[in-house]
Amino acid sequence: MSIEYEEQLAGSLVDSFPKDFGYGVENMDMMQENLENSPSADNKPRILLMGLRRSGKSSIQKVVFHKMSPNETLFLESTNKICKDDISGSSFVNFHIWDFPGQVDFFDPTFDYEMIFRGTGALIFVIDAQDDYVEALGRLHLTVSRAFRVNPEINFEVFIHKVDGLSDDHKIETQRDIHQRANDDLADASLEKLHLSFYLTSIYDHSIFEAFSKVVQKLIPQLPTLENLLNIFISNSGIEKAFLFDVVSKIYIATDSSPVDMQSYELCCDMIDVVIDVSCIYGLKDDSNGNAYDKESLAIIKLNNTTVLYLKEVTKFLALVCILREESFERKGLIDYNFHCFRKAIHEVFEVSSSTQRTGAVVQSSPPCSSGNGLARLKSTALNGTPRSLV
């Protein structure tokens, strides 16, 4: 594949998202003014991080999207103003994260909270599981009930955070108690249609990445298509599990329909870290300004339990990480051919999305492959996730 074609494909992915947002930390008044003056402010999903002071909101953001070590978050100062983080400069995941300080009353009459919630895709409320969460539940109810009345389409997510210090039984009991109390409060307010999703999280393991993956997936309109392509790929390649990762954040934006095992997910995350770290140290030439992760990136790791981890580059932002048995990996030629078809289909999915956003019409994509086994003859992919033709 030529360099020009690679650049064209990468450009098509990047161009499918708006770029008219900056990056930085601004105070509440400046942020509200920028939103009001921005004609395309609603084009990009917005995720709000809310919760009481010292609940761990800023630590979550730094660990997931800025590769900060969990131990370093102990030295973070308490957030005293709204921080806007643009997650689009170097990542496939494309949205804003707003970190709200716990002590700020964003329901103050002088502040237009309706404008904030109207442009929000997901609201994450963080509850410190190691603290008394009665006050947090009260703030949770106030926040989600008012946000729901402004924008019923918001995805409401509750991170029961800092569970690393709790026993397994205590974790389950805490989640059950918070779940029960929060939903009882909603029922008392006649808000049964408001759905809350609950996650047990900690920055000291991969649970926070798993939870954020679930949140982000709800904001990706192409998710059914990606899941369907992964199902086709693994069923024709003898692969047990496959993840489509955003390399920068280690969030998986899609996986096949089989259940996610946390241990398998952690292995895949560790593999990405190894590949990126080794590439950064040994892969870049002295006179090169390129990226350590590129179209030549791939890795094979054989574990001592006859399991193979296989990583291949899909785009400059995405990696496919597969888990399979050694006997299945003996058919590597078939797997690579099916991956070629899968990779081409992924590019076409986002080309169709880009064309739809620009013209308002659905453009049928060209055939990824015309003959052969596996994913071959996947003639075109519908936006609802169903292949038009598969042999």
Side-chain angles (χ1 to χ4, degrees), residues 82-333:
I82 301 176
C83 299
K84 183 180 73 171
D85 200 352
D86 187 352
I87 313 298
S88 62
S90 60
S91 173
F92 173 83
V93 181
N94 192 272
F95 49 79
H96 282 299
I97 290 185
W98 284 21
D99 182 4
F100 278 78
Q103 71 272 20
V104 170
D105 183 10
F106 51 89
F107 292 126
D108 188 280
T110 62
F111 189 65
D112 188 3
Y113 66 87
E114 290 192 5
M115 176 268 301
I116 293 178
F117 292 139
R118 194 177 299 118
T120 296
L123 191 157
I124 299 175
F125 195 92
V126 183
I127 297 178
D128 186 349
Q130 298 185 23
D131 197 4
D132 184 9
Y133 44 78
V134 174
E135 182 183 355
L137 286 171
R139 177 64 69 92
L140 168 66
H141 178 74
L142 175 65
T143 303
V144 300
S145 59
R146 187 162 297 191
F148 182 77
R149 292 186 176 95
V150 175
N151 181 7
E153 302 301 320
I154 294 179
N155 296 311
F156 295 100
E157 322 288 346
V158 180
F159 285 5
I160 304 173
H161 197 48
K162 301 182 183 179
V163 297
D164 49 276
L166 307 180
S167 65
D168 290 341
D169 292 340
H170 195 180
K171 289 179 186 179
I172 297 174
E173 182 61 32
T174 300
Q175 183 178 17
R176 182 185 298 113
D177 187 39
I178 292 177
H179 182 279
Q180 184 67 40
R181 293 191 186 190
N183 283 293
D184 286 346
D185 290 342
L186 294 177
D188 293 340
S190 300
L191 292 173
E192 291 86 354
K193 293 183 179 180
L194 197 162
H195 176 71
L196 298 175
S197 299
F198 296 86
Y199 308 88
L200 295 171
T201 61
S202 170
I203 59 174
Y204 291 96
D205 56 34
H206 289 81
S207 60
I208 190 62
F209 295 94
E210 164 79 7
F212 241 107
S213 297
K214 297 296 186 182
V215 173
V216 170
Q217 287 171 21
K218 296 178 182 179
L219 303 179
I220 299 176
Q222 301 91 350
L223 180 63
T225 303
L226 300 178
E227 290 181 346
N228 193 53
L229 289 174
L230 285 167
N231 285 332
I232 298 172
F233 172 69
I234 68 169
S235 63
N236 288 278
S237 305
I239 293 173
E240 296 185 354
K241 188 67 181 174
F243 295 92
L244 191 61
F245 273 95
D246 174 73
V247 175
V248 176
S249 62
K250 291 188 296 185
I251 286 176
Y252 68 93
I253 67 168
T255 185
D256 57 88
S257 57
S258 62
V260 175
D261 175 61
M262 182 58 70
Q263 185 177 7
S264 299
Y265 174 63
E266 292 176 359
L267 281 174
C268 294
C269 288
D270 292 342
M271 185 180 192
I272 292 177
D273 286 336
V274 170
V275 171
I276 298 301
D277 291 346
V278 173
S279 298
C280 288
I281 297 172
Y282 303 105
L284 293 178
K285 298 180 181 178
D286 295 337
D287 57 348
S288 173
N289 295 323
N291 197 334
Y293 179 79
D294 55 28
K295 63 181 181 180
E296 302 296 331
S297 296
L298 66 90
I300 302 169
I301 298 179
K302 294 185 178 181
L303 307 180
N304 56 9
N305 60 351
T306 71
T307 300
V308 176
L309 303 180
Y310 190 31
L311 179 148
K312 294 203 70 172
E313 183 261 5
V314 178
T315 75
K316 64 180 181 179
F317 298 141
L318 297 179
L320 180 70
V321 184
C322 306
I323 302 174
L324 64 159
R325 295 293 177 185
E326 285 186 3
E327 54 268 25
S328 299
F329 195 68
E330 293 175 358
R331 299 175 295 173
K332 183 175 179 296

